[in-house]
Each structure stands twice: as structure tokens, then as C-alpha cells.
Amino acid sequence: MMDTRALLVAAALLGVVVRASPTGGSNGSLPLVLWHGMGDSCCNPLSMGAIKKMVEEEIPGIYVLSLKIGKTVIEDTENGFFMDVNQQVSVVCEQLTQDPQFRGGYNAMGFSQGGQFLRAVAQRCPSPPMKNLISVGGQHQGVFGLPRCPGENSAICDFIRKKLTSGAYTDLVQKHLVQAQYWHDPLNEELYRTHSLFLADINQERAVNESYKKNLQALNKFVLVKFLQDTVVDPVDSEWFGFFKAGQAVETETLQESDLYREDRLGLAVMDKAGKLVFLTSDGDHLQFNRAWFTAKLLPYLR
Ligand SMILES: *[C@@H]1O[C@H](CO)[C@@H](O)[C@H](O)[C@H]1NC(C)=O
Ligand SMILES: *[C@@H]1O[C@H](CO)[C@@H](O)[C@H](O)[C@H]1NC(C)=O
């Protein structure tokens, strides 16, 4: 049997950093689940791949799962445009339930639309328990516009834009277009409320599902990052749960001014008062941040 000193020497030789374990596991930190944004995939070395690597460097020994929806990276990217979101959320729930790595709980970080999708996981899938949820540029009140498409799929985006304007709330478009499922038309709130298959459901627009409230409130922290120069998300207020006031598309209201909060249909008011909601900004365009910002602002929620 190796004694502790020998272990430390071996670790030093291997360049491993040995840290005290804050939560009592072999290496302490909870596993992390990442969900990529539109036009991106689990494993792009310039985006999710780089984030995964960075987290692994900063928190040695951490288990990081970057979600891949589908069998291949190409399928994963396509599913970000065309696969029913409710189905994606249940696929992810199933995967997390079956992976023994997550049995003791996990933290989650979603990028752009991955932010609201992981919130749905928190609300619908209480086991294994999500501890901290970090939404990086997520659109929690949806979008009304698709001004710019991230990634290289501008042809796909043109197609989607056309579908959204011609009938975002028809069943056919709802079922087959991811962005339609968080399309929020403030000029047609009633249509949105009754026909949005995904966002109106998780935002308790039709009815209050008490288990959604209870599950979301079980989070330790819900961190919401807004990009101050965002040219992709319209309106950018959605990244902090704000949106256009109903009936027009100019004036916005904050989460705290909304009925969702005032009637506390989702438990966010209670969470806010308990200090569980953390509102952060990044001074850049959509998903633009550097390592220093990430390390200072987000890593503390992953340790
Ligand atoms: C500790 O590190 C190992 C190896 O990377 C990993 O499999 C395990 O899940 C980690 N434990 C925790 C509690 O994160
Ligand atoms: C509330 O949500 C859960 C999880 O999605 C679902 O199983 C349940 O049927 C919903 N309850 C109501 C009353 O709609």
C-alpha cells in the first residue's frame, strides 16, 4: 500500500495538483454538465471543447459532460435547430439519471438556448439533483427576432426566420423548429400562451405546475449572465428573465416587474429574496468573454 507521502510525490511527478476536498469526495468538486447553444455542438474545440478543457484545468479531477444530443456531432448540431425541445430535455434527463457519476448531484452550465433547456431539466428532472444552474446568455423569456445567427449556418437561419414570421405557433412549426419553441411574440401573447409547446410550459403560462416551482427552488444558486453588447438575443433583457411589456415590442420590463414574479408562479421571487438568484453581466457581444472573467465570475459556482 502506498503511504500518503509517496502518493504526494507521485502526484508531484505527474504534475497533479492535490487539493483539500471541500465536499468529501475523492476530489471534491461536483460533476458539471454543459449544454451548448444554437449552431454549436458538444465538442467544437473552439467553443464547448475549450470550455470543458478550461474547467478541467482549473478544477483538477472534475467530471465534465458536454451534452451531445444525437449520435454524432453533426446530428447534435442539427438537433439544436430541429429536434423537439421537450424531447431533448427528456433525453438529457434519462442520460443524467443513468450515469452513476451524477448520483450525488451536479452543477449545470448552459450556453444561450442551452440555458433555458437546462432550466427545464432542473424543473422536470429533480433526480439526480442539480445544485447550481448557470445560464450564460440564455433566453428565459424567449426571443422576438433572430437578428444574427451564431456559427456558420446562415442558410438555416434564413429558413428559420421565414418559418417564424409565417407561423411560429402552428403545430407543425412548433414541433419541428427549436427556435419556435421559445419564440415569444409580445403582440400575440395569447397565441404564445396557448400554443408555445416549450417556453410557455416551463414559464407556467398556462397553469402553475407546483413541481416545477419546488424543483427550481431546490437549486442552491441560479446564476444568470447577460451580455451587455449582445447583438444576437432580442430583447437582451430575456437573459435576466425580462421581456417586452405585452402588446408592443419597444418597452421592456424586468423580471421583478413581471406577473411571473409578482404572482410568483415559478418561485423566482422566493428564490430572489433568499439570495439564490445571481445576476451577472459580461461586457461584450453574445457569449463573448475571456478566461479571466470566466474564472473570476463563474468558477466560484463550480467548486
Ligand atoms: C474525481 O475524479 C475522477 C477522475 O477524474 C472522476 O471520475 C470522479 O467523478 C471525480 N469525483 C467527483 C466527486 O467529482
Ligand atoms: C408537472 O410537471 C411534471 C414534470 O414534467 C409532470 O410529470 C406533471 O404531469 C405536471 N403536472 C401537471 C399538473 O401538469
Side-chain angles (χ1 to χ4, degrees):
M1 211 172 106
M2 235 194 240
D3 67 24
T4 312
R5 230 185 41 191
L7 205 63
L8 284 173
V9 170
L13 287 173
L14 291 167
V16 175
V17 182
V18 179
R19 297 190 311 125
S21 153
T23 54
S26 59
N27 37 33
S29 31
L30 282 172
L32 173 66
V33 173
L34 304 174
W35 197 330
H36 62 78
M38 170 175 94
D40 201 2
S41 72
C42 59
C43 309
N44 182 344
L46 298 177
S47 61
M48 290 305 103
I51 301 277
K52 181 172 189 289
K53 190 159 160 268
M54 175 164 73
V55 172
E56 287 165 347
E57 283 168 9
E58 297 284 346
I59 308 177
I62 190 173
Y63 176 69
V64 182
L65 172 69
S66 183
L67 290 166
K68 181 170 75 180
I69 315 295
K71 287 193 189 67
T72 64
V73 168
I74 292 174
E75 236 180 85
D76 182 27
T77 308
E78 286 173 356
N79 284 338
F81 291 104
F82 302 118
M83 182 177 170
D84 183 329
V85 179
N86 290 321
Q87 212 180 321
Q88 297 194 41
V89 168
S90 40
V91 165
V92 167
C93 180
E94 178 88 17
Q95 186 178 352
L96 300 182
T97 307
Q98 282 174 3
D99 188 336
Q101 291 275 7
F102 299 115
R103 217 161 270 163
Y106 65 99
N107 293 317
M109 186 183 288
F111 295 83
S112 200
Q113 67 184 17
Q116 61 265 33
F117 298 172
L118 278 170
R119 173 162 64 86
V121 172
Q123 291 176 210
R124 291 179 183 164
C125 186
S127 170
M130 190 188 289
K131 302 292 189 184
N132 291 334
L133 170 58
I134 302 170
S135 162
V136 186
Q139 300 101 43
H140 294 278
Q141 278 293 358
V143 295
F144 186 49
L146 202 62
R148 218 160 56 69
C149 211
E152 285 137 40
N153 285 295
S154 62
I156 295 188
C157 281
D158 288 342
F159 168 80
I160 290 174
R161 231 173 257 125
K162 228 177 269 167
K163 292 288 168 203
L164 290 172
T165 13
S166 68
Y169 299 121
T170 59
D171 279 354
L172 191 71
V173 175
Q174 278 291 310
K175 285 232 169 65
H176 297 287
L177 208 59
V178 164
Q179 289 68 36
Q181 294 171 48
Y182 57 86
W183 188 253
H184 187 166
D185 183 345
L187 308 175
N188 289 289
E189 284 285 344
E190 197 49 40
L191 265 183
Y192 160 69
R193 199 166 291 134
T194 46
H195 293 285
S196 161
L197 290 181
F198 171 71
L199 193 68
D201 177 75
I202 63 163
N203 283 359
Q204 313 270 53
E205 294 282 1
R206 286 187 280 271
V208 172
N209 184 326
E210 289 298 333
S211 63
Y212 284 1
K213 262 176 109 159
K214 181 170 143 257
N215 294 340
L216 195 64
Q217 286 176 324
L219 289 173
N220 293 338
K221 296 282 181 197
F222 180 10
V223 180
L224 296 139
V225 177
K226 177 166 88 173
F227 290 89
L228 296 176
Q229 272 84 49
D230 202 311
T231 60
V232 174
V233 173
D234 190 13
V236 68
D237 312 67
S238 188
E239 297 179 357
W240 277 5
F241 257 104
F243 203 65
F244 294 118
K245 291 180 181 170
Q248 47 86 60
V250 182
E251 252 190 279
T252 56
E253 64 183 15
T254 62
L255 166 67
Q256 286 76 5
E257 292 161 345
S258 69
D259 288 345
L260 179 70
Y261 188 94
R262 286 192 304 203
E263 297 167 11
D264 207 14
R265 298 170 71 84
L266 193 52
L268 291 168
V270 168
M271 290 178 75
D272 198 13
K273 278 159 200 146
K276 289 187 170 195
L277 300 185
V278 181
F279 297 94
L280 298 181
T281 56
S282 175
D283 194 15
D285 200 349
H286 196 53
L287 304 187
Q288 299 302 305
F289 54 82
N290 59 31
R291 185 169 183 148
W293 180 88
F294 185 92
T295 308
K297 302 289 184 176
L298 302 188
L299 270 189
Y301 299 99
L302 305 182
R303 293 192 191 279

